[in-house]
Amino acid sequence: IIKTAAAMNPGTRRASLLAVVLPLLFSCTPPSSTEEFIKVSEARNGVYSFKLDLSDSLSVYDLSFYTRVDRNSLEIKGENPRIRLVATWISPSGKTFTETVYMPAGDAEGIIRKYRTGVQPKEFGEWTLNVKAFSQEKGFRGLGLICDRNGTR
């Protein structure tokens, strides 16, 4: 026999409602990690533009760059070829900060390198990270960014 909601006692109705609603609440949490890869052909004038949701005021963030170079066009220049990255951060209010960092050029298997750990933005919201990559590798495929949301302050 199937009882309708009206025929159930109030405690059973409440328990049934919670069983349906609780999983929905937890499924709406933002992901703890986001990732985006921009191909060379999609970069504007060699600039890779990433949008970062840094709106959680209780979280700290870890950021990593990754790339890949085609195996058949890989030309190793020097013992440890590096890519120069000029990163310009744009805050939600429009303030900017620019820095230059370097990462290994990688290979056909790809490479991931930490860029910043424990980032705690002074402004919360959507940030833009524009990165100009100066790669001498002919088979450079593009640049990716991983943003991990970790713990709390």
Side-chain angles (χ1 to χ4, degrees):
I1 298 175
I2 299 174
K3 292 184 178 183
T4 63
M8 291 181 183
N9 71 45
T12 306
R13 274 187 282 177
R14 220 174 281 126
S16 297
L17 182 61
L18 282 175
V20 171
V21 172
L22 281 177
L24 294 175
L25 289 175
F26 290 108
S27 67
C28 295
T29 60
S32 62
S33 181
T34 58
E35 177 178 331
E36 182 180 5
F37 185 82
I38 301 172
K39 296 177 185 177
V40 169
S41 61
E42 296 169 356
R44 294 185 179 185
N45 298 320
V47 176
Y48 300 81
S49 187
F50 302 96
K51 299 290 184 190
L52 298 167
D53 179 9
L54 305 180
S55 58
D56 187 344
S57 62
L58 298 176
S59 292
V60 294
Y61 302 88
D62 293 340
L63 302 164
S64 299
F65 287 122
Y66 65 99
T67 190
R68 176 174 278 174
V69 178
D70 287 332
R71 183 182 308 268
N72 58 353
S73 62
L74 185 64
E75 293 180 11
I76 302 296
K77 295 178 175 71
E79 192 172 310
N80 297 311
R82 300 184 311 160
I83 300 170
R84 181 169 58 109
L85 303 173
V86 177
T88 301
W89 287 87
I90 304 171
S91 75
S93 68
K95 296 176 186 171
T96 62
F97 168 77
T98 302
E99 65 180 331
T100 301
V101 296
Y102 295 85
M103 72 177 285
D107 57 22
E109 301 301 316
I111 191 163
I112 298 174
R113 284 294 184 260
K114 285 281 188 204
Y115 165 50
R116 292 281 175 250
T117 58
V119 174
Q120 299 176 352
K122 299 231 184 250
E123 292 182 40
F124 305 106
E126 184 177 86
W127 286 69
T128 301
L129 178 58
N130 292 326
V131 182
K132 174 82 173 174
F134 296 89
S135 174
Q136 297 178 8
E137 304 303 331
K138 289 182 182 177
F140 182 73
R141 288 190 177 184
L143 188 66
L145 180 72
I146 300 169
C147 179
D148 293 314
R149 186 170 44 92
N150 297 312
T152 58
R153 294 177 183 227

